[in-house]
Amino acid sequence: QVQLVESGGGLVQAGGSLRLSCAASGVIFRTNTMGWYLLPPGKQPALVATVTSDGSTNYANSVRGRFTISRDNAKNTVYLQMNSLKPEDTAVYYCNMRQWSGTFYEYWGQGTQVTVSS
């Protein structure tokens, strides 16, 4: 019903920057939350950042001040500007959307690899 397509990952040096994007298509309701998560094996999804359709943001403490999440509601697209990257940021970043229309729906993107070298 909803497809999330991610792009923007890659290999960068420590201290560098990347900008991830995630475009949603399908049946998108006006109120929703989009964001970025890590999916560590055997554990619950780990928050990186989320943003609601009205602009409220939430960040993991480890990225606050370095990463900025934003969205374009007209394009149903969410972005993650990643600055001052550290090797420990290396991971697959997954886009997520949550929305409610009688039933709670959650969707995941395919993941995009971010690798930060030292």
Side-chain angles (χ1 to χ4, degrees):
Q1 177 139 246
V2 171
Q3 185 176 27
L4 305 177
V5 179
E6 304 179 35
S7 62
L11 173 64
V12 297
Q13 295 283 326
S17 298
L18 286 172
R19 192 189 193 205
L20 309 184
S21 64
C22 174
S25 61
V27 181
I28 309 300
F29 298 99
R30 66 186 180 277
T31 56
N32 58 72
T33 298
M34 298 184 72
W36 301 88
Y37 289 82
L38 309 185
L39 298 179
K43 298 181 179 180
Q44 292 295 309
L47 168 75
V48 178
T50 60
V51 58
T52 67
S53 49
D54 66 2
S56 297
T57 59
N58 190 29
Y59 294 93
N61 290 336
S62 61
V63 308
R64 185 173 286 108
R66 298 189 298 121
F67 294 5
T68 302
I69 190 168
S70 61
R71 63 187 291 163
D72 184 334
N73 289 337
K75 297 180 179 179
N76 291 316
T77 299
V78 64
Y79 307 93
L80 187 68
Q81 180 66 46
M82 310 168 75
N83 297 329
S84 301
L85 282 160
K86 304 174 180 179
E88 50 262 46
D89 296 321
T90 296
V92 179
Y93 287 74
Y94 291 88
C95 182
N96 171 272
M97 172 181 278
R98 299 165 182 168
Q99 60 181 15
W100 180 262
S101 181
T103 301
F104 177 79
Y105 295 95
E106 185 173 41
Y107 308 94
W108 293 94
Q110 80 279 9
T112 185
Q113 176 71 49
V114 171
T115 303
V116 184
S117 65
S118 59

